[in-house]
Structure formats: structure tokens, C-alpha cells
Amino acid sequence: MDVKSPRTDVQLAWEGIVLAGAGAAIALQVAHRPVAAGVAQHSNFTADPLGRLRRTLQYIYAVVLPEAQLARTTVANWVSRAHEPVEGTLDGAQYSAADPDTQRWVTSTLYWTAEQVRWRIWGEQHPDDAEQIYRSYAVLGTALGMPKEYWPRDRAAFQQYWEWQTSDLEVTKNARQIMADLFAAESAPAWLRTAMPLAKFLTAGLLPAHIRIQLGLDWDGADSMREDRLWRVLRRTYPRLPTGIRHAPTRFVVTGLTYKGPGTRSG
């Protein structure tokens, strides 16, 4: 039974466990003041978290997966149109979805959280495979207009960028409210509300400590031990699940994207 780490971005994108990092990616995105301002003014994802997640995954899969290639241009155009009105100023923060620095940051959070989950499940990988996956993530930004040269040239350069950027993050009142609304999931189906405590726990564990603290997410030594046990169990069991189960969330989104087309709501 194959339990090897994914060697390409396509293989990694198929793995449903990567979704465990979705909450951390959102938290890191809104810890960037311009992103938080744009979300607060223009996004409805706290009222429709499943819809927001579905649209984000539609974009990622359309750009990355060959199976969704026919929808790639349609989805990229749809996202670009949705982002056109997302610009302005809120609480002193200027924001624009078309800003390449913002696009780089959002792309970076998607790569970083996916890599955090991948490492926890499969551990270290061959440096060439790691670099291949890293470089391929640039397309998530360039497909929306981010200049190719904005993506750090390799993982070492990315680490420098990441450390610099995360040290400059500021969790605003808007960001805290966005995350509180997300975890409350008041408009979500009952099954999703039931899953939110686990999602919140996974999010808190994946986040850098200073961002977790600024978001007001409780965490102590006992939580660290529980998180370690959880990932140990997942590391032993998840790679041994049948491929059909591991890939089911991705296949569900790709099938809907291929036969129904992308979502139409903004955010």
C-alpha cells in the first residue's frame, strides 16, 4: 500500500487531509490588515462558510488539476470579476484584491498551510520534490495577475519572506470578528457546526503562536499534547486509507466544477 508523500502539487491537491489547514489559512489571510479590511467590506463567507470554501477550492483545483483544465479559464475569469470591486479603505487600511502583494500573501498562506499539513502526515520529503511543489504554487497567484517574479525564487527565499511577513502581521478587530463569526458558523448546516470545535482546535495548533494569541484562541501545554496525539494518529491512519476516501472531497468539488460550473457568489 502506497503511503509515500505526494511528490507534486497535483498529487497534494487531491489529498483531502490538506483541508485541515483551511482555518489556519483564513486566519493568516485576515491577519494581513488589507485582507481583513477587504473581507469585512466585501465578503459573505462568514454567512456562507461552505460556499466560500467551495469557491476557493474550485479555483485551486481548476488551476492545478488536469481533470479540471476545461474550467480553468472560466474560473479564473469568474474570480477576477468577483475581485474587481474589492478595493477601498477601512479603518486606515487600504485594500485591493488586485494588489500583487496581497495576492502573494494569500498564495503564501495556501502553500504554507498545505505544507504544514503535508509534513505532519508524511514527514520530510526529497528536496527536489519539495521545491517542485513549492514552485508550482506560484500559479495560484499568477493566474490572477500576480507577476511571476513576486513569488520567492525558492523555499529558502520563501522562508525569509514568510518570517518577515508574519512578524509584521497585525490582528485587527475586524480579523477577530471574522474568525469568531467563522467558528460560530451560525448559518452553517448542523453537521458543520458540530465539526467547528475540531476545526478551531486544528486552526489554533497550526497557527504561529503570536497570531494565535492575538486572535484570542486559548492554548496551553495540554492542548499541545492533545494536538501531538491527534496528528500521530492521523499520520498512522490517513495514508493507509483507500485512495477513494482520501480523494473524495476533491473529487466532489471537481465533479461539480466540471458538470455544473463555478459558483456565482462573491467572497
Side-chain angles (χ1 to χ4, degrees):
M1 186 174 295
D2 186 7
V3 296
K4 293 180 180 179
S5 176
R7 298 181 62 188
T8 68
D9 60 323
V10 172
Q11 292 172 333
L12 185 59
W14 275 107
E15 298 293 346
I17 192 65
V18 173
L19 297 179
I26 293 171
L28 286 163
Q29 289 167 22
V30 300
H32 188 273
R33 288 191 71 213
V35 175
V39 169
Q41 290 290 86
H42 297 273
S43 179
N44 65 351
F45 85 86
T46 54
D48 182 22
L50 277 180
R52 169 60 186 257
L53 178 61
R54 174 175 57 87
R55 292 187 290 274
T56 299
L57 293 177
Q58 284 178 334
Y59 173 70
I60 292 173
Y61 297 155
V63 171
V64 171
L65 297 179
E67 291 83 351
Q69 185 173 10
L70 292 177
R72 187 169 301 168
T73 300
T74 299
V75 172
N77 290 340
W78 156 64
V79 173
S80 295
R81 288 195 302 271
H83 283 175
E84 282 178 3
V86 182
E87 60 178 353
T89 303
L90 179 65
D91 295 336
Q94 292 186 332
Y95 62 89
S96 171
D99 175 50
D101 289 319
T102 298
Q103 292 170 343
R104 175 173 55 183
W105 175 243
V106 171
T107 304
S108 296
T109 66
L110 296 174
Y111 164 73
W112 186 84
T113 52
E115 175 57 21
Q116 292 301 303
V117 173
R118 191 214 59 75
W119 179 83
R120 283 164 170 79
I121 298 296
W122 288 282
E124 297 296 335
Q125 63 184 158
H126 192 282
D128 290 345
D129 296 337
E131 286 291 344
Q132 180 178 346
I133 289 177
Y134 166 71
R135 289 193 299 269
S136 67
Y137 261 80
V139 72
L140 295 179
T142 57
L144 294 179
M146 181 189 78
K148 186 176 181 180
E149 61 270 19
Y150 264 62
W151 193 238
R153 66 183 180 277
D154 53 28
R155 287 190 303 149
F158 177 85
Q159 186 61 31
Q160 292 180 340
Y161 162 75
W162 183 262
E163 292 175 359
W164 167 76
Q165 186 68 67
T166 53
S167 69
D168 198 45
L169 293 178
E170 176 186 358
V171 176
T172 63
K173 178 177 67 175
N174 286 326
R176 284 188 289 272
Q177 187 61 56
I178 289 166
M179 295 308 297
D181 291 345
L182 178 65
F183 290 131
E186 293 180 354
S187 301
W191 68 265
L192 183 58
R193 292 198 300 274
T194 301
M196 275 301 173
L198 176 59
K200 186 175 182 179
F201 179 76
L202 288 169
T203 297
L206 287 169
L207 286 173
H210 70 289
I211 302 300
R212 182 171 62 227
I213 292 170
Q214 289 185 61
L215 283 170
L217 298 175
D218 294 331
W219 196 261
D220 56 24
D223 289 316
S224 294
M225 288 188 289
R226 284 192 290 270
E227 184 204 24
D228 181 66
R229 286 196 296 268
L230 174 60
W231 284 110
R232 284 177 183 271
V233 169
L234 289 172
R235 184 169 185 167
R236 287 195 300 267
T237 57
Y238 176 81
R240 292 172 171 80
L241 292 174
T243 301
I245 294 176
R246 300 202 323 261
H247 294 183
T250 302
R251 192 166 299 282
F252 175 78
V253 175
V254 170
T255 300
L257 178 61
T258 303
Y259 292 104
K260 300 176 184 178
T264 57
R265 297 178 65 185
S266 65

